[in-house]
Amino acid sequence: TLFLTVFGITLFCSTGVILAEEGAIQTMARITMSLNHFPSDDDKATLNGIIDSDDNNDEEADIAMSLANFEHEVQEKDKERLSDIIDDDSSAADARKLASIVLHINHSPSDEDKTALVALAEK
């Protein structure tokens, strides 16, 4: 059990390091690439970290909330948030692109969406 505890702490700490080195949009693009009906528990924890962090803007927090609530598709309560990001020309282009992809996912991203997500994740 000591090994599992140390392993768990190491994994948790390394996830935090990844988040610190990688922006919220890149992290969410990676999560969205593997989305299959709903986010995993680990992905939800990461998304909640994005939502709760003062380092992220409202757009990023809204996209993270939409992903955390995702069940087969974006929940009705989150569709307006994503649409507002997409329609706001002052929103960052990457946030608008990710919001658009998330808004239109049905169960999992399409191959075309995955290509766009890879580009977002690698920025």
Side-chain angles (χ1 to χ4, degrees):
T1 59
L2 177 61
F3 171 76
L4 291 176
T5 303
V6 171
F7 178 76
I9 290 170
T10 303
L11 183 62
F12 178 77
C13 290
S14 66
T15 301
V17 170
I18 291 168
L19 285 175
E21 293 173 357
E22 179 175 77
I25 295 293
Q26 291 84 7
T27 299
M28 291 186 289
R30 290 183 195 286
I31 289 171
T32 305
M33 275 189 272
S34 63
L35 192 64
N36 190 15
H37 302 286
F38 51 86
S40 70
D41 290 341
D42 288 342
D43 289 343
K44 283 184 182 181
T46 300
L47 293 165
N48 285 326
I50 292 170
I51 294 164
D52 295 338
S53 174
D54 292 336
D55 295 334
N56 301 310
N57 62 39
D58 289 343
E59 294 168 347
E60 293 164 337
D62 286 346
I63 295 168
M65 180 68 70
S66 297
L67 282 167
N69 293 335
F70 192 93
E71 291 182 27
H72 306 289
E73 64 182 0
V74 170
Q75 299 303 296
E76 200 60 43
K77 63 185 174 186
D78 296 316
K79 288 181 180 181
E80 185 175 346
R81 289 179 204 192
L82 294 176
S83 293
D84 288 347
I85 293 168
I86 295 163
D87 294 340
D88 185 351
D89 289 339
S90 69
S91 294
D94 289 348
R96 290 179 27 219
K97 180 66 177 172
L98 182 57
S100 179
I101 291 169
V102 171
L103 182 62
H104 297 101
I105 292 176
N106 186 5
H107 299 286
S108 61
S110 68
D111 290 341
E112 182 179 333
D113 288 341
K114 286 180 183 178
T115 301
L117 289 165
V118 167
L120 286 173
E122 292 178 349
K123 284 191 172 191

